[in-house]
């Protein structure tokens, strides 16, 4: 059957809207679902292959993690002509998209499905942790960033953008490495899928 064999975590890089003030903050996490049905683990997984969310390259996947990140940033021109990024407060919304099985009647299948879905969420939450760590690094790097001879605060903005790209690239590389480990031969995701298909 033509079904997805790996999870793809979609982590958009172009979601940085800029502005400022550093406080304690916490990410907002939400779960989105898509419905699947079947009378066996194999049928449920086949449904996932047909109904799973479509990612950027047109393929379907089992589950994925996306995020929206916006900022309030405070740029302060100084009397000496420099500009300092004095504050940076993020608003981060992380969304985990997972399958939700409908109409399961067999207690054994319900238990098998719950194990599968819990495993998917555990996997995706690691990606969520990576995203939060990236945002905290951006916050720490941003506050106090300074550019000389920058009365319009354009140089410091450009400098910030360079750092954002580096940290975003690093976070996506971590996500890809984690997926390779989890989805490779004998990896946790492969075991979850095989256990669901094989059944209780």
């Amino acid at each position: 059957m033509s079904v997805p064999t790996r999870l793809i975590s979609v982590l958009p890089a172009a979601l940085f809207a800029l502005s400022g003030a550093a406080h304690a903050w916490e990410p907002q996490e939400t779960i989105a679902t898509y419905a699947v049905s079947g009378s066996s683990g194999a049928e449920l997984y086949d449904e996932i292959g047909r109904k799973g969310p479509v990612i950027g390259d047109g393929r379907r996947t089992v589950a994925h993690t996306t995020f929206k990140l916006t900022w309030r940033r405070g740029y302060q021109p100084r009397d000496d002509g420099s500009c300092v990024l004095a504050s940076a407060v993020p608003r981060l919304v992380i969304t985990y998209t997972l399958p939700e099985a409908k109409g399961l009647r067999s207690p054994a299948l319900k238990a098998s499905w719950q194990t599968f879905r819990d495993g998917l969420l555990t996997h995706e939450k690691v990606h969520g942790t990576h995203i939060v760590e990236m945002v905290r690094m951006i916050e720490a790097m941003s506050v106090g960033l300074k550019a000389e001879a920058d009365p319009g605060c354009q140089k410091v903005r450009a400098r910030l953008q360079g750092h954002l790209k580096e940290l975003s690239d690093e976070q996506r590389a971590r996500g890809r490495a984690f997926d390779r480990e989890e989805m490779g031969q004998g990896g946790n995701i492969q075991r979850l899928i095989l256990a669901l298909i094989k059944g209780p």
Side-chain angles (χ1 to χ4, degrees):
M1 54 188 173
S2 177
V3 294
T5 56
R6 23 174 313 203
L7 300 175
I8 304 295
S9 293
V10 182
L11 304 171
L15 293 174
F16 297 110
L18 310 176
S19 326
H23 301 79
W25 59 274
E26 293 297 330
Q28 177 184 339
E29 294 182 302
T30 63
I31 295 178
T33 62
Y34 63 96
V36 296
S37 60
S39 59
S40 70
E43 288 181 5
L44 289 168
Y45 195 65
D46 190 54
E47 281 263 291
I48 288 171
R50 295 197 306 272
K51 295 183 177 180
V54 177
I55 59 172
D57 58 5
R59 290 178 292 150
R60 291 192 181 275
T61 187
V62 180
H64 70 159
T65 298
T66 57
F67 69 94
K68 181 177 181 180
L69 175 61
T70 56
W71 290 90
R72 296 196 320 274
R73 289 195 169 106
Y75 293 92
Q76 294 184 357
R78 296 293 169 83
D79 291 341
D80 62 2
S82 65
C83 182
V84 175
L85 177 49
S87 60
V89 180
R91 181 176 184 272
L92 174 64
V93 180
I94 301 172
T95 301
Y96 306 110
T97 300
L98 300 166
E100 182 175 3
K102 301 289 188 179
L104 299 183
R105 297 182 180 179
S106 160
L109 182 57
K110 285 181 181 179
S112 178
W113 174 261
Q114 193 62 51
T115 297
F116 173 73
R117 191 178 184 281
D118 288 349
L120 294 182
L121 181 57
T122 296
H123 174 94
E124 294 303 316
K125 287 232 173 195
V126 173
H127 288 297
T129 297
H130 292 169
I131 293 165
V132 172
E133 289 173 352
M134 175 194 69
V135 175
R136 295 198 188 281
M137 285 190 288
I138 291 172
E139 181 185 28
M141 170 276 302
S142 297
V143 177
L145 194 65
K146 183 177 181 179
E148 303 294 339
D150 188 21
C153 296
Q154 297 306 309
K155 292 179 183 178
V156 73
R157 291 173 191 269
R159 183 173 297 173
L160 175 65
Q161 289 299 322
H163 290 305
L164 293 182
K165 183 179 185 309
E166 287 179 16
L167 291 172
S168 177
D169 288 348
E170 179 182 321
Q171 179 267 321
R172 285 185 290 173
R174 287 183 72 193
R176 287 192 296 267
F178 176 65
D179 280 345
R180 283 193 299 271
E181 178 182 341
E182 288 268 291
M183 299 171 201
Q185 187 67 31
N188 184 51
I189 296 302
Q190 185 185 73
R191 293 197 303 270
L192 287 170
I193 292 170
L194 292 176
L196 178 68
I197 293 173
K198 182 179 178 182

